[in-house]
Amino acid sequence: MAGHSQFKNIMHRKGRQDAQKSKLFGKLAREITVAAKLGTPDPAMNPRLRAAVLAARAENMPKDNIERAIKKATGGDAENYDEIRYEGYGPGGVAVIVEALTDNRNRAASDIRSFFTKSGGNLAETGAVSFMFDRVGIVEYDASVASADAVLEAAIDAGADDVVSSESGHEIYAAPDSFQQVAKALEAKFGEPHKAALTWKPQNTVAVDDEAGEKLLRLIDALNEHDDVQNVYSNFEVSDALMAKMAG
């Protein structure tokens, strides 16, 4: 199983298991508010806010919640959040990147360090593992939007760097500096994407056995459940059998 597909499966699994919609909506609202506060409150003019709103819609977050989160940023009563990237090693030496928005840096660092330690991994300095990933923009569409050839042609015309099409959908990758232009061109042709955001894409993946894989999946689940954690990225592959076992 390819590493990126494996990573997507982990994210989808998290989505299925996350019964606490209020917690998920809270994280999405936090990103929307921060994005609106840092830039303009107009998603059409603010790429980060646009990405946050798309993510919220993908999770069926009510329109009123989205609008309230944007208004909160312009009302002067929005909390101040620090953006922090944590990097570390999970079981088996696998690289893990954690992106957080927190109003308490000490609490966040302590909790995240504890998750790594309990899993048999360790938190490292910023930059310790990010060199193993590429910072890229990704635009995602459902497979039904167009054929693989049509998406590839449109992506090339838009200036994208890479396209991965499968039965689960189309993933278009672009450099950070050209990402917004690529996303806009694709949206003009295919409509609103399922996702359009900057991500950390592993350059290579590491296959781990089921024992280490189970510990890694539990670490990622624990990190994702933390209120301050927005995104978790890693570079490992596990077996389909373990994915099925953990999903069950």
Side-chain angles (χ1 to χ4, degrees):
M1 176 177 280
H4 188 67
S5 297
Q6 181 66 62
F7 174 70
K8 283 188 66 181
N9 285 341
I10 293 168
M11 293 299 98
H12 290 168
R13 179 173 149 270
K14 171 190 172 282
R16 289 199 304 272
Q17 288 188 338
D18 197 343
Q20 297 176 303
K21 274 291 183 185
S22 60
K23 175 178 281 193
L24 177 59
F25 286 170
K27 291 188 179 194
L28 293 166
R30 183 181 295 194
E31 171 62 19
I32 289 170
T33 299
V34 168
K37 191 174 181 181
L38 291 174
T40 169
D42 180 2
M45 303 297 292
N46 182 335
R48 178 169 174 177
L49 178 57
R50 173 76 172 150
V53 170
L54 282 173
R57 287 179 185 163
E59 294 293 346
N60 298 313
M61 185 171 173
K63 185 178 179 182
D64 287 349
N65 292 36
I66 295 172
E67 291 177 350
R68 191 159 55 244
I70 293 174
K71 286 178 181 175
K72 189 175 181 181
T74 59
D77 60 344
E79 299 94 337
N80 289 316
Y81 293 105
D82 291 326
E83 293 186 77
I84 310 173
R85 186 176 82 240
Y86 300 95
E87 301 183 24
Y89 299 93
V94 165
V96 181
I97 295 176
V98 182
E99 292 179 335
L101 286 174
T102 182
D103 57 0
N104 188 324
R105 297 174 70 100
N106 291 335
R107 177 194 65 215
S110 175
D111 291 349
I112 290 171
R113 182 176 290 106
S114 174
F115 290 142
F116 274 88
T117 302
K118 288 177 180 176
S119 73
N122 64 282
L123 202 58
E125 295 295 321
T126 301
V129 304
S130 55
F131 70 92
M132 291 185 260
F133 296 74
D134 292 323
R135 187 64 167 164
V136 298
I138 181 172
V139 183
E140 291 185 4
Y141 281 98
D142 291 336
S144 59
V145 76
S147 68
D149 287 344
V151 171
L152 177 61
E153 183 179 353
I156 291 171
D157 288 344
D161 294 334
D162 191 20
V163 179
V164 178
S165 293
S166 67
E167 60 185 19
S168 62
H170 307 284
E171 300 166 8
I172 301 97
Y173 294 96
D177 57 355
S178 60
F179 165 57
Q180 287 308 316
Q181 128 193 349
V182 170
K184 284 182 179 179
L186 292 171
E187 184 166 347
K189 189 167 184 67
F190 299 123
E192 188 174 281
H194 176 69
K195 175 182 179 180
L198 290 172
T199 188
W200 291 96
K201 183 185 179 186
Q203 295 166 358
N204 297 289
T205 55
V206 179
V208 297
D209 60 31
D210 284 0
E211 182 180 356
E214 186 165 341
K215 290 178 182 177
L216 281 162
L217 292 174
R218 293 193 188 284
L219 168 61
I220 288 174
D221 277 347
L223 289 166
N224 276 317
E225 285 299 313
H226 195 281
D227 288 340
D228 293 340
V229 173
Q230 294 294 110
N231 299 295
V232 182
Y233 306 93
S234 191
N235 66 344
F236 67 96
E237 299 177 41
V238 295
S239 69
D240 290 339
L242 178 59
M243 287 301 299
K245 174 187 172 184
M246 296 293 283

